[in-house]
Every structure is written in structure tokens, then in C-alpha cells.
Amino acid sequence: EVQLVESGGGLVQPGGSLRLSCAASGFTFNDHYMDWVRQAPGKGLEWVGRIRNKANSYTTEYAASVKGRFTISRDDSKNSLHLQMNSLKTEDTAVYYCVAYCSGGSCYGRSYWGQGTLVTVSS
Amino acid sequence: DIVMTQSPDSLAVSLGERATINCKSSQSVLSSSNNKNYLAWYQQKPGQPPKLLIYWASTRESGVPDRFSGSGSGTDFTLTISSLQAEDVAVFYCHQHYTIPLTFGGGTKVEIK
């Protein structure tokens, strides 16, 4: 069974930092691009960023709204994904989802989502 | 950026009737290298993460009831629920993963009439 479990959310003041983690199991982590997608309260889905797999040199991409403030990393030996968030703003308040996109093979085109972790940026 | 425009924003359909949601992308999401549309549909119920229903524009995810179907190519796509059930009440999103930044439609809320 595929599982993605996010952790690390919470309340942080504007300008602060937070590190989210995502523990993955039940699928071949190495075959997947790993993304973060967020959803502000009562709003739609917003892509945050991606880290590709080893075969694609672990390259990263970020949404313009977070570039320079957020950093995505992964540890394939531990099947884990991380999101380091710095210089947080009130508009970063959202549920953050860890998403695995299959990059090839029989699962190509499919994606798996975690349950999400809530980040609240407020003074 | 590819803008995904969904219509309508909301719709109310009687139980057993058909629900149709449209999604238009500002650029084609059809890859010429593999002839696949990088378009997915998700269903999101309150308090839950999005659930993948359809990928490659028309491939139903395992376990998804066959009353859900996707169609379209290039820039115009449709999600159809052939016979609406009470458990289908949710917000539905289209999503392109063809180019970075990945983008989502604004969502369509489906309710029972």
C-alpha cells in the first residue's frame, strides 16, 4: 500500500522557518519525482516545487512565489522528502501535500498524495 | 505558465443524472514525443487530500468507478460523471503536469440538486 506521511507543520511567526518532512513507503521511491503542493484555507491547489530523481540528477524546480525562500531535498536511502521553508509569509499559510509523480515504467502518469500537514504563519 | 480554466465553477445535478466538467488549457498539454496528454483529474472531498481519478486525460485510475470518464486532447478536456451518486459530492480539479510550473484548474464544486 502506498503511503506518504507528512510531518513538521505548525504555527510559525512571519519571517520564521519551518522544515517539513514526508516519509514514503509502498512504491519505488527512486522512480518518482517528488513534489510539494499546497492549499490555502478554502482555496484551490498550488504547486510549490519539485525534485526529480537520481536518473534526472535530482534537479529542482520552484514556483515563483517561493523561489529563493524554499528548498526541496530528498534522501533516497530513507525514502524521505523535505521542504525547508525560510522567510515565511502569512500567505504561505496552507496545508502542504507531499506528492509522488511516477516518472516512467508501468506507473507512468500516476501520482500519489499524502494527507497533508498544516502550516500557519501568523504573529 | 499554462493556465487551466475550468467551467462551471459549480453545478448541481440530480442523483442518477450526468455531470459534465470542462477544462481548457492556455497551451497544448499533448506531447508530440509520446502522444500523451499530460492532464489529470482529481476529486477532493472536505478534509481529504485530492484523489486521482483520471490520468493521461482518459485513463481511469485503478479502483475508480466506471461512471467517471475523461476525454479530450490538446487544450480541451472533459470529465463526465455518467450517473451522479451521493458520494460523488466534491470539488473536482483538472491538472497539467506537462510543463513547469505545474498548474491546476480553479476547481468545480459538484452538489446534489
Side-chain angles (χ1 to χ4, degrees), chain A residues 35 37 39 43-47 50 52 61-63 97 99 101 106-115, chain B residues 34 36 38 40 42 44 47-52 55-56 61-62 93 95 97 100-106:
Chain A
D35 292 46
V37 173
Q39 186 169 37
K43 302 297 184 183
L45 300 165
E46 180 189 15
W47 177 77
R50 160 172 289 181
R52 296 182 178 87
E61 309 276 1
Y62 298 94
Y97 295 104
V99 185
Y101 285 85
S106 60
C107 66
Y108 190 32
R110 301 169 72 187
S111 61
Y112 312 116
W113 292 60
Q115 290 294 312
Chain B
N34 61 10
K36 290 185 181 297
Y38 284 66
Y42 292 91
Q44 188 178 33
Q48 296 184 19
K51 173 188 174 183
L52 179 65
Y55 59 100
W56 298 142
E61 170 68 311
S62 175
Y93 294 94
H95 167 53
H97 54 109
I100 296 293
L102 308 189
T103 49
F104 295 85

Side-chain angles (χ1 to χ4, degrees), chain A residues 5-62:
Chain A
V5 180
E6 302 93 338
S7 60
L11 175 63
V12 60
Q13 291 189 336
S17 297
L18 208 59
R19 179 177 165 90
L20 305 184
S21 296
C22 172
S25 61
F27 64 98
T28 308
F29 191 71
N30 304 350
D31 287 346
H32 288 68
Y33 297 169
M34 296 301 299
D35 292 46
W36 290 96
V37 173
R38 68 185 181 183
Q39 186 169 37
K43 302 297 184 183
L45 300 165
E46 180 189 15
W47 177 77
V48 172
R50 160 172 289 181
I51 185 165
R52 296 182 178 87
N53 55 4
K54 182 178 180 180
N56 290 277
S57 305
Y58 297 124
T59 52
T60 55
E61 309 276 1
Y62 298 94

Side-chain angles (χ1 to χ4, degrees), chain A residues 90-105:
Chain A
T90 55
E91 52 263 40
D92 295 320
T93 294
V95 173
Y96 284 73
Y97 295 104
C98 166
V99 185
Y101 285 85
C102 181
S103 61

Side-chain angles (χ1 to χ4, degrees), chain B residues 15-58:
Chain B
L15 288 172
E17 295 300 305
R18 178 185 300 262
T20 302
I21 301 170
N22 299 301
C23 175
K24 188 174 183 67
S25 59
S26 61
Q27 302 170 41
S28 176
V29 298
L30 174 63
S31 170
S32 56
S33 64
N34 61 10
N35 202 37
K36 290 185 181 297
N37 287 283
Y38 284 66
L39 188 285
W41 288 97
Y42 292 91
Q43 175 190 49
Q44 188 178 33
K45 298 180 180 180
Q48 296 184 19
K51 173 188 174 183
L52 179 65
L53 296 177
I54 303 285
Y55 59 100
W56 298 142
S58 60

